[in-house]
Amino acid sequence: MNFQPLTPELVSAFEQIVGHQHVLTAHGVEAEIYADYGRDHTEDLHFAPDVVLRPANAEEISQIVRLCYEHHIPVTPRGAGTGLSGGALPIHNGVVISTERLNKIIEIDERNLQATVEPGVINQVFQEAVQAKGLFYPPDPASKGSCTLGGNLAHSSGGPKAVKYGTTRDYVLNLQVVLPTGDLIWTAANTLKNSTGYNLTQLMVGSEGTLGIITKVVFRLLPYPQQNILMLVPFRQIEQAAEAVSAVFRAGIIPSGMEFMEREAIAWSSDYLQIPLTLPEDIHAHLLIELDGQDLDELYKEAEQVYDVLGHYDVGEVLLADNATQKDELWRIRRNIGNSVRYNSVYKEEDTVVPRAELPILLKGVKEIGARYGFKSVCYGHAGDGNLHVNIIRGDLNDEQWNVGLRQPISEIFELCVKLGGTISGEHGIGLVQKGYIGIALPEVNLDLMRGIKRVFDPAGILNPGKIF
Ligand code: 2HG
Ligand code: ZN
């Protein structure tokens, strides 16, 4: 990649476009603020951009990208920097384009149950805005309070509700995108159905900021489910918690949340949040199960069926959260596991995913590989999707063990996923840190097709270079 250095003429051209106060360089703002634009939530990695630009709208982004295309300057698009595979890291320095100022909810169309939104809107802000109108936008990443919709689109982010409602890609009707040449396009129409040529919308969703910068999105919405039941189920044997997951679905229940947490995950998070939680010695894992809908009586009947299924396992006393405060507390504990692990240690996040009923074999395999190679892991995640987050804890591993020694065991974990019919990332994407493993999941012919698509969209190879492949 023959990138050119940034010149003072280009920096002043950027100032003409976004205004002086929205051009940040290492010398302009406090070092810590500037440094933040060079990291995301991936391990403790940092890459310094040459300049950070904070455009106000799609037209400004289009002008910036056109200049970078003409002058071979690498561009890294950025939402809130909560990504977990290094997607927002400017690994070739150059320009970081932050979408933080594209933070408007343009329209909530109650007639069509659609909304037009800018990418810099925080996920939870959008969820609450539509909920105020009785509408529902289900995708709810653990980081929903800080992550942006643009980043959710870049990875087709999931979250606990994905098990019943699907992920971000299932709600996208249309996208306005700045292509790596600077051209501005809409990918489709604002329709629930579309069979007009290749699906550029779905190609863009999950492309991790490598095929275009999303500047507007039209989402479809659902009516808000007014009722929900939440239960925390303790298991004496960790494998049985994983087995019970698919048993609930086989009983005909589709929960709106089916989260697995091994003992340390729930213990570290409740400590981190200072939320007291009694954990009997003999309890080694929990399932957090949510049922939602419009009719509470129906939900209690479903809960009875779940209890019947759980009766076949060695479970402790089930906690049925019977008020909003208790529900919020249990969800806060689940949503902060990642933060609590980050607080305790640098970690490598392996976002493994397999067919749901294979989870017990995956879990057992991960622990066996950990024992064989001498690393500790804290496992939790969206068990209903067969998606297990394996947090490998750095602890006292030295640089050699951390950066080289772990490659083999991580490869074995991914090989096990693929053998079970799964793959190497369910929601966090490939970005920078999983690049070296993508060949375990995809043959060269598939990767060549993807490289060809990248060349068509980004002939100069300037957009988020060095990611995925
Ligand atoms: C979750 O499900 C996130 O909690 C991972 O996908 C969170 O590692 C994290 O920060
Ligand atoms: Zn997750």
Side-chain angles (χ1 to χ4, degrees), residues 84 142 334 338-339 342 347 349 380 382 389 391 427-428:
L84 293 155
R334 166 57 190 88
N339 290 333
R342 224 182 327 274
Y347 68 103
E349 168 89 64
Y380 66 97
H382 320 288
H389 295 324
N391 284 191
E427 56 181 17
H428 298 162

Side-chain angles (χ1 to χ4, degrees), residues 116-142:
T116 304
V117 206
E118 290 191 313
V121 172
I122 303 290
N123 176 289
Q124 188 166 345
V125 169
F126 178 55
Q127 287 196 332
E128 289 170 355
V130 299
Q131 185 178 345
K133 297 174 182 296
L135 298 174
F136 185 36
Y137 174 71
D140 62 335

Side-chain angles (χ1 to χ4, degrees), residues 443-458:
E444 268 309 301
V445 63
N446 297 48
L447 291 171
D448 282 341
L449 285 170
M450 294 184 185
R451 292 185 187 107
I453 289 167
K454 168 69 175 172
R455 277 194 299 275
V456 166
F457 277 81
D458 183 6

Side-chain angles (χ1 to χ4, degrees), residues 4 20 341 345 370 374 443:
Q4 299 305 312
H20 176 73
V341 172
S345 164

